[in-house]
Amino acid sequence: MHIVVCLKQVFSTPQVRINPETNAVIREGGEWIINPFDEHALETALALKDTVGAKVTVITAGSQQAEAVLREALARGADAAVLLSDAAFEGSDAWATAKILAAGIQKVGAVDLIVCGKQTMDGDTAQVGPAVAEFLGWPCVTYVRKLAVEGTTLKLERLFEDGFEKVEVVLPAVLTVGKEINTPRMASLKGRMAAKKAQIAPVNAAALGLAPESVGRAGSPTRIVKMATPPKKTGGIKIDGSDAAAAAKTVVEKLRELKLV
Amino acid sequence: MTDKTQFSGVWVFAEQREGVIASVTFEALAKGRELATKRGTHLAAVLLGQGIKEKAADLFAHGADKVYYVDSSALAGANSDALTAQLAALIAQYKPEIVLGGSTICGRSVFPRVAVRAQTGLAPDCTGLDLDASGVLQATRPAYVGNVLATVVCPEHRPQMATLRPKAFKKGTPTAGRIGELIEAPAAVGDVKTKVVEVVRDAGNQVSLTAADIIVSGGRGLGGTVHFSLLTELAKEFGGAVGASRAAVDSDWINVSHQVGQTGKTVSPKLYIACGISGAIQHAAGMGSSEFIVAINKDPGAPIFEIADIGVVGDLFTVVPALIAALKNR
Ligand SMILES: Cc1cc2nc3c(=O)[nH]c(=O)nc-3n(C[C@H](O)[C@H](O)[C@H](O)COP(=O)(O)OP(=O)(O)OC[C@H]3O[C@@H](n4cnc5c(N)ncnc54)[C@H](O)[C@@H]3O)c2cc1C
Ligand SMILES: Nc1ncnc2c1ncn2[C@@H]1O[C@H](COP(=O)(O)O)[C@@H](O)[C@H]1O
């Protein structure tokens, strides 16, 4: 089985702000990390490698510095890494990102399974996984929390708001996963040493057969026209809770006034 | 690029589970009605399922002028292969200008796929929607874990698609007996490769977090699993659901399905009560858009007080029981 894991490099977010004058995104004081859910996608693939045997390829679309998340994945046990990088990819929305990733995965060759995180913490769109599936014409099962392989069939449990569903899908397929599915492993020292030496050559648009205007800003159906800092709540009243009964009475009265109870 | 003049009408995908229409659908219909009126066009709902034709009445009552209904066993559950194919087929045939749905698990699984098939853009998980003079949908959505509010447009492709964050928009008041045009369309569910074997409802979690109007959440301040029963009791008084911070989940006091925040669920209830939660940015990202926030925390400097409408500075172990008592003798 050949599994591809889609990983995105994101900036740890508490520090992300908007410059009120330029509306540019300011990233400072944080660090670049693997998107948290993608760590679970990677672990899903590595666990299958351990149990049923698989080749695991990790792929990312990003700038040269996104190579760091690929090396981290190699250190944890991935077998191969693909960096899709080209100036023409800049400004891609989720739709165009999925198109680039789908082209990259096709270039990887015979793939049976693709695992994505359920959502990124910068774009937050939860769109790329299902869209990759659609570009490839594959089925997609989202929010998977448990999986078992039986031959070419995957037996899955996928979450719903009020429970879960048992689902079966025949490979090839795309899955998206959240943190419910597993606990990501750490890299071993040996893995880190090997990952350091790995050669990761960037793959550009031409190599993927993608016309520059079909991706990036030009190839994206959506555009961000404004970035703003959400109106800050100013906080309301503060009451002293040392007399619990009195405080509770005040709260309940207020809630009743607002017809919340 | 699309010939935009061929597209008209505002559509709402009516999400249903076992014939019960999701409340976000009514929220989308209220917003859709407003957009359709502004644009001088009609509002339609798309109802996909099996044996639920009579549910169209609810959609008409909530403002739909037309309901497209497709009856098929493949559409009975929430199979995203089938829903994707069907919705994409209807869009290709009838060419709506705007298609709205809920940013629920179903909507988030189906809409991105439909957008690829229809070769158009999608603004997911929106908290605000408006139209400009030329009919371009201005979709505002939180990004970067709620630190940024981005306005997204899809100027050149049609339809313009968006999913709405549950509870971020208001439902309208239904007009009983309001009628519209029911259009029954043939099934076109394509090649369904995913088989749903069993649907299991989580009995322990009666009120789903994202659908709840009231959420009572606990954090590290609760100090242990046993104390969550205090919150369960409070939630019961309110008829609400129980949420948690990641600290409480990581301590194994409560199941991860209750986690609110950046790596948990995003909720916008009418009332959110945070007990023993400091209000870290990653937690606030998941609940900051709640309509009314009550915080109980013994540290007057806790950041949760910056976003709380009422902050009670005190010990949750005395304040919560007092709240339960006050609610009991209302
Ligand atoms: C990538 C990433 C993702 C994350 N995702 C999430 C997420 O999805 N959700 C989330 O919640 N967090 C998330 N976090 C963690 C977040 O940063 C905080 O660590 C977490 O929210 C803290 O939980 P807490 O408020 O319960 O605990 P604490 O910060 O320890 O706060 C406990 C509070 O309880 C109060 N308290 C203690 N005892 C009492 C008492 N008897 N009565 C009243 N008050 C009392 C204290 O004053 C304190 O303010 C994430 C972090 C990272 C790095
Ligand atoms: N640039 C990217 N490179 C690789 N994978 C990505 C990229 N963007 C998104 N993904 C994958 O798609 C998932 C959903 O992303 P998003 O649609 O941005 O919320 C992520 O968890 C990743 O697995």
Side-chain angles (χ1 to χ4, degrees):
Chain A
M1 178 149 64
H2 188 180
I3 309 173
V4 170
V5 178
C6 298
L7 297 177
K8 187 176 184 191
Q9 188 183 45
V10 296
F11 196 74
S12 63
T13 43
Q15 289 77 16
V16 173
R17 295 181 289 121
I18 291 292
N19 178 330
E21 267 112 56
T22 60
N23 270 344
V25 177
I26 307 170
R27 298 183 175 94
E28 56 193 23
E31 53 179 344
W32 290 94
I33 56 171
I34 300 184
N35 178 48
F37 297 121
D38 301 358
E39 292 196 67
H40 297 272
L42 174 62
E43 182 58 34
T44 304
L46 295 177
L48 284 174
K49 178 178 169 177
D50 291 346
T51 51
V52 298
K55 179 184 177 188
V56 176
T57 299
V58 288
I59 192 166
T60 194
S63 63
Q64 189 69 43
Q65 75 163 356
E67 201 195 272
V69 297
L70 297 177
R71 280 194 202 280
E72 173 63 24
L74 290 171
R76 290 189 197 185
D79 303 291
V82 180
L83 172 65
L84 308 174
S85 198
D86 194 316
F89 296 161
E90 274 167 34
S92 291
D93 69 359
W95 198 95
T97 302
K99 186 173 179 175
I100 295 162
L101 287 169
I105 291 164
Q106 264 168 336
K107 199 173 159 66
V108 165
V111 172
D112 305 288
L113 177 64
I114 299 168
V115 192
C116 293
K118 68 170 185 182
Q119 176 170 354
T120 52
M121 58 183 224
D122 47 5
D124 262 347
T125 77
Q127 199 178 337
V128 169
V132 165
E134 207 56 42
F135 277 113
L136 295 170
W138 293 7
C140 177
V141 183
T142 48
Y143 301 89
V144 172
R145 71 159 190 194
K146 208 167 161 184
L147 96 172
V149 188
E150 276 177 29
T152 56
T153 301
L154 286 181
K155 298 203 161 178
L156 309 165
E157 283 183 17
R158 55 100 38 133
L159 285 164
F160 253 103
E161 278 86 356
D162 57 355
F164 65 93
E165 277 180 353
K166 294 188 178 169
V167 168
E168 288 178 13
V169 67
V170 176
L171 297 171
V174 179
L175 309 180
T176 79
V177 303
K179 59 188 271 187
E180 300 83 6
I181 194 163
N182 54 35
T183 308
R185 71 190 63 187
M186 308 279 239
S188 65
L189 198 58
K190 199 167 139 238
R192 283 210 188 286
M193 301 296 279
K196 239 188 208 154
K197 293 192 208 105
Q199 295 286 326
I200 303 174
V203 177
N204 64 15
L208 295 177
L210 293 170
E213 66 280 6
S214 73
V215 289
R217 216 161 267 113
S220 294
T222 65
R223 260 209 309 271
I224 294 176
V225 287
K226 196 173 139 201
M227 293 265 232
T229 305
K232 254 232 165 335
K233 277 192 107 164
T234 43
I237 53 166
K238 227 187 224 173
I239 50 184
D240 176 12
S242 53
D243 181 348
K249 192 162 162 262
T250 314
V251 171
V252 172
E253 268 167 14
K254 182 77 187 161
L255 296 182
R256 199 172 299 148
E257 207 178 288
L258 293 163
K259 299 202 163 47
L260 288 167
V261 291
Chain B
M1 230 154 272
T2 336
D3 175 7
K4 293 188 266 182
T5 59
Q6 289 185 4
F7 292 77
S8 67
V10 176
W11 279 19
V12 170
F13 168 67
E15 180 176 335
Q16 56 95 10
R17 292 280 275 168
E18 288 158 19
V20 179
I21 294 175
S23 69
V24 69
T25 298
F26 300 118
E27 293 154 21
L29 281 169
K31 190 70 204 181
R33 184 71 260 170
E34 191 188 306
L35 298 175
T37 304
K38 198 163 179 180
R39 188 77 182 130
T41 186
H42 67 274
L43 175 68
V46 178
L47 180 63
L48 310 177
Q50 188 179 32
I52 54 166
K53 191 159 109 180
E54 81 283 0
K55 293 286 169 188
D58 292 350
L59 303 169
F60 291 133
H62 279 270
D65 303 310
K66 299 181 186 186
V67 172
Y68 293 93
Y69 176 62
V70 181
D71 198 293
S72 164
S73 60
L75 300 167
N79 189 313
S80 48
D81 287 354
L83 293 173
T84 298
Q86 187 67 59
L87 186 55
L90 291 170
I91 288 171
Q93 184 175 358
Y94 294 101
K95 298 191 170 35
E97 192 177 15
I98 292 173
V99 180
L100 308 177
S103 180
T104 54
I105 287 186
C106 176
R108 288 202 142 193
S109 306
V110 170
F111 271 56
R113 297 177 65 184
V114 171
V116 172
R117 285 203 197 185
Q119 305 222 23
T120 192
L122 167 64
D125 201 24
C126 299
T127 53
L129 288 174
D130 202 357
L131 280 173
D132 74 3
S134 59
V136 174
L137 193 65
Q138 311 284 310
T140 44
R141 57 181 308 266
Y144 295 96
V145 195
N147 281 331
V148 173
L149 208 52
T151 303
V152 178
V153 296
C154 175
E156 304 301 340
H157 297 70
R158 294 293 178 272
Q160 307 174 83
M161 297 182 70
T163 58
L164 284 63
R165 176 175 291 187
K167 309 232 168 256
F169 298 84
K170 297 260 162 311
K171 257 186 227 185
T173 335
T175 312
R178 187 177 175 280
I179 50 166
E181 183 189 359
L182 182 72
I183 300 152
E184 290 190 61
V189 296
D191 186 8
V192 180
K193 293 174 184 153
T194 313
K195 191 165 102 193
V196 179
V197 185
E198 194 187 343
V199 180
V200 184
R201 296 246 179 182
D202 183 358
N205 186 15
Q206 289 297 355
V207 191
S208 98
L209 217 49
T210 40
D213 278 332
I214 297 182
I215 295 174
V216 179
S217 261
R220 202 192 312 270
L222 268 174
T225 309
V226 287
H227 304 304
F228 260 97
S229 60
L230 195 59
L231 294 198
T232 312
E233 210 184 320
L234 182 60
K236 207 144 122 232
E237 285 305 321
F238 279 119
V242 175
S245 74
R246 172 158 142 187
V249 169
D250 285 353
S251 310
D252 278 333
W253 298 341
I254 190 163
N255 184 278
V256 62
S257 64
H258 295 268
Q259 185 183 319
V260 172
Q262 180 193 320
T263 46
K265 297 204 160 83
T266 304
V267 297
S268 299
K270 292 203 175 100
L271 174 60
Y272 190 93
I273 304 184
C275 308
I277 292 178
S278 61
I281 177 125
Q282 295 94 345
H283 188 77
M287 47 67 77
S289 59
S290 302
E291 234 171 277
F292 198 83
I293 299 168
V294 176
I296 303 163
N297 196 308
K298 64 181 184 190
D299 171 12
I304 190 79
F305 289 127
E306 287 163 28
I307 58 169
D309 298 282
I310 302 182
V312 181
V313 184
D315 186 346
L316 73 92
F317 292 108
T318 58
V319 176
V320 173
L323 264 179
I324 295 170
L327 286 165
K328 276 210 163 90
N329 15 331
R330 91 187 104 134

